[in-house]
Amino acid sequence: MNQQQFEKAAQEIQQITKRPTNEELLQLYALFKQATEGDVTGSRPGMLDMKGRAKYDAWAKLKGKSKEGAQNEYVQWVETLKKKYG
């Protein structure tokens, strides 16, 4: 897996015709953040920011995963979503 394949997958996911579920989108977000920035930083959003809190929690679950590992999983996840939502 290389950076070029990761970037291609990031572009391809924007071309799907149907919207994935919120859970699928959270996984996609978390893998992208882990692949580009590494482990989650900052403090967890407050109770009233439910969307921000869900995103933070999804990303935090990947703590310790290497950027390369996250890139590989991201590309595989994009392929799965493309087949499902084309």
Side-chain angles (χ1 to χ4, degrees), residues 55-70:
K55 290 168 103 177
Y56 182 94
D57 290 347
W59 185 9
K61 287 179 186 175
L62 300 179
K63 186 175 184 176
K65 183 178 292 293
S66 71
K67 288 185 177 187
E68 294 78 19

Side-chain angles (χ1 to χ4, degrees), residues 7 9 12 16 21 24 29 31 33 37 46 52 81-82 85:
E7 290 171 4
E12 289 176 347
I16 61 174
T21 66
E24 291 167 334
Y29 169 83
L31 286 168
K33 293 294 274 184
E37 297 183 28
L81 294 178
K82 281 174 32 184
Y85 298 103

Side-chain angles (χ1 to χ4, degrees), residues 28-45:
L28 189 69
Y29 169 83
L31 286 168
F32 184 85
K33 293 294 274 184
Q34 188 71 20
T36 57
E37 297 183 28
D39 289 343
V40 69
T41 58
S43 57
R44 187 175 187 222

Side-chain angles (χ1 to χ4, degrees), residues 7-22:
E7 290 171 4
K8 182 180 179 209
Q11 291 174 349
E12 289 176 347
I13 194 61
Q14 296 178 29
Q15 306 305 317
I16 61 174
T17 56
K18 296 178 188 157
R19 187 179 191 277
T21 66
N22 286 340

